[in-house]
Amino acid sequence: MKYGHFIDYVKSQFQTEKFIPLHEPRFNGNEKKYLCEAIDSTFVSSVGAFVDRFEQNVAGFVGTKYAVAVVNGTAALHIALVVAGVESGDEVITQPLTFVATCNAISYCGAQPVFVDVDQHTMGMCPLSLETFLREETEMRDGVCFNKRSNRKVTACVPMHVFGHPCDIRRIAALCKEFSISLVEDAAEGLGSRVEKKSVGTFGDSGVFSFNGNKVITAGGGGVIVTNDERTAKLAKHLTTTAKVPHAWDYEHDSIGFNCRMPNINAALVCAQLEQLNDFLVSKRKLAMAYNQFFCDIDIDFKLEPEGTTSNYWLNTIQLVDKENQVEFLKQTNEMGVMTRPVWRLMNQLSMFSDCFCMPINNAVFLSDRLVNIPSSVIIHK
Ligand SMILES: *Cc1c(COP(=O)(O)O)cnc(C)c1O
């Protein structure tokens, strides 16, 4: 079997002959203690001390002034886009190589995704493709960017940091500034990833992280919006909490709000997880470096973090030579109990988004025929 060596190697790394998932959570800290504290406090729902602690600790970790806890990453993206001013009929720039939640959140605003290509190296949004779209397909009218062909307002740009590898966010941020477009980073996969010393999610108007069960750390389900802008933070908090005007007893709501607060019980879990994040990141880096060495020796491309960046190596990724090899690799590994997955189907190929404006996306097509994710859970050395 062509990929037998790899299967043996993964089993030796994870020290098991059992099924090896792509990414499973680890609960080795204060999870049970904090969950019991939350239950004993009776504050299990949408307010509580753990929610406040979580917001403070996340903001501290990524280095922003504010963090707003939300029920999941998709809702966090939705609210971040609403706060960024995305309205029905607008266009929002993103990439075809992303998880469907990015495009769903854009759609919840009544807006349409516009797809620009990704970079083959970072796998994230390609600044050159973005620049080509902005210079050739849009024009400024009274300081507002419009798509010349569709006549729609281009309000926001949502680059995604794929599998934790930072995209070229500085160049993207400069372009967004030049064209007066809001920048919302989908950093759902990138907690712990940095460009030089600066965390992903902190380069634009706001950034979003997910704490779903398959991410680096989990709240069971959860998300957060991070920002340095006070107005953004206040409005996000207001909209996620039914847009209720603070009052001792009165129910006054000043706009159509959402109920997408993170429950305190979930915040308790993720507070315990956050305490272990640095250790998890060390373990994930160690596994990635071992994989890199292994694949170097058998001449398969392992996706290393782009130069000048630090990846959290959320999901380790290899690039096979063609589609045929990709399918063969997936078949052999999954049959032998080593879970591997191809990258997502490109968004412009999904029926809901097939009519959306799309730049040439040769790199996205190239990568989608070749990328495969391999087991990446944190390994606890006893
Ligand atoms: C996980 C993920 C999300 C959504 O997060 P949920 O918490 O599952 O809603 C959004 N975007 C990307 C790129 C993701 O990987």
Side-chain angles (χ1 to χ4, degrees):
M1 198 170 12
K2 190 170 171 193
Y3 297 114
H5 277 325
F6 170 70
I7 292 161
D8 292 341
Y9 186 72
V10 177
K11 289 183 171 174
S12 75
Q13 282 293 316
F14 285 89
Q15 294 179 13
T16 180
E17 286 299 314
K18 288 190 235 150
F19 171 77
I20 300 170
L22 205 57
H23 203 287
E24 61 183 344
R26 300 281 183 239
F27 303 113
N28 292 289
N30 287 319
E31 286 86 355
K32 287 179 182 167
K33 178 167 177 266
Y34 292 174
L35 284 169
C36 287
E37 279 178 39
I39 292 167
D40 291 342
S41 77
T42 76
F43 284 89
V44 293
S45 197
S46 43
V47 287
F50 284 112
V51 176
D52 299 338
R53 195 201 293 189
F54 169 66
E55 289 178 339
Q56 272 172 25
N57 290 353
V58 168
F61 182 82
V62 303
T64 53
K65 282 193 200 149
Y66 310 98
V68 178
V70 181
V71 73
N72 58 51
T74 310
L77 271 172
H78 177 201
I79 300 295
L81 288 169
V82 170
V83 172
V86 176
E87 293 177 334
S88 186
D90 290 355
E91 289 182 356
V92 175
I93 306 165
T94 189
Q95 59 205 52
L97 193 84
T98 185
F99 179 56
V100 70
T102 317
C103 295
N104 283 340
I106 293 168
S107 305
Y108 300 158
C109 301
Q112 271 191 13
V114 165
F115 299 112
V116 301
D117 205 3
V118 294
D119 179 276
Q120 271 201 29
H121 186 55
T122 68
M123 303 180 283
M125 186 176 283
C126 169
L128 208 64
S129 178
L130 174 64
E131 181 164 10
T132 306
F133 169 73
L134 290 170
R135 297 216 188 284
E136 293 179 3
E137 303 291 342
T138 73
E139 65 185 15
M140 300 303 284
R141 301 179 191 161
D142 290 333
V144 180
C145 183
F146 275 83
N147 184 326
K148 282 191 283 192
R149 289 196 224 186
S150 66
N151 267 317
R152 292 170 185 273
K153 232 184 344 161
V154 182
T155 336
C157 178
V158 189
M160 199 276 270
H161 302 284
V162 179
F163 307 133
H165 284 13
C167 67
D168 195 349
I169 191 66
R170 288 196 198 276
R171 277 176 69 195
I172 292 167
L175 285 163
C176 289
K177 198 163 193 183
E178 181 183 340
F179 287 83
S180 295
I181 294 171
S182 299
L183 174 57
V184 175
E185 285 177 76
D186 185 345
E189 306 178 352
L191 189 67
S193 299
R194 287 166 200 278
V195 178
E196 286 143 27
K197 292 271 171 283
K198 194 167 152 68
S199 170
V200 298
T202 65
F203 289 85
D205 299 85
S206 63
V208 161
F209 295 95
S210 164
F211 300 91
N212 191 35
N214 63 343
K215 297 300 198 305
V216 175
I217 58 169
T218 185
V224 76
I225 302 166
V226 298
T227 183
N228 284 313
D229 178 51
E230 186 181 356
R231 188 203 74 96
T232 298
K234 283 198 165 144
L235 189 53
K237 191 75 186 175
H238 186 61
L239 288 176
T240 55
T241 52
T242 68
K244 187 177 181 298
V245 180
H247 189 278
W249 56 80
D250 231 6
Y251 288 103
E252 195 190 331
H253 306 263
D254 61 6
S255 62
I256 294 178
F258 301 87
N259 176 16
C260 53
R261 293 168 281 199
M262 176 188 282
N264 200 45
I265 195 103
N266 295 88
L269 187 67
V270 77
C271 277
Q273 289 265 286
L274 257 180
E275 294 171 351
Q276 300 159 80
L277 178 55
N278 283 323
D279 290 343
F280 286 5
L281 291 171
V282 169
S283 160
K284 292 180 76 66
R285 171 162 297 271
K286 203 167 149 203
L287 177 63
M289 294 307 119
Y291 273 144
N292 182 45
Q293 189 57 56
F294 176 83
F295 285 111
C296 229
D297 294 343
I298 58 169
D299 224 17
I300 288 177
D301 264 345
F302 177 80
K303 290 300 234 187
L304 273 176
E305 62 202 350
E307 212 169 310
T309 76
T310 307
S311 176
N312 64 3
Y313 285 101
W314 171 50
L315 287 186
N316 290 296
T317 309
I318 56 170
Q319 184 176 315
L320 293 153
V321 290
D322 56 20
K323 177 96 193 158
E324 208 176 305
N325 273 268
Q326 185 194 42
V327 172
E328 188 57 29
F329 185 91
L330 288 164
K331 195 163 174 300
Q332 286 186 17
T333 49
N334 284 292
E335 272 174 13
M336 295 302 290
V338 171
M339 186 171 166
T340 62
R341 286 289 180 267
V343 72
W344 315 278
R345 181 86 64 83
L346 296 180
M347 292 301 111
N348 61 301
Q349 293 172 4
L350 299 180
S351 59
M352 320 77 87
F353 306 118
S354 58
D355 292 336
C356 296
F357 190 97
C358 190
M359 291 290 284
I361 51 159
N362 300 341
N363 292 336
V365 171
F366 179 90
L367 290 176
S368 77
D369 284 343
R370 289 166 178 78
L371 296 184
V372 174
N373 294 132
I374 56 179
S376 301
S377 307
V378 168
I379 296 171
I380 305 286
H381 293 280
K382 297 190 182 92

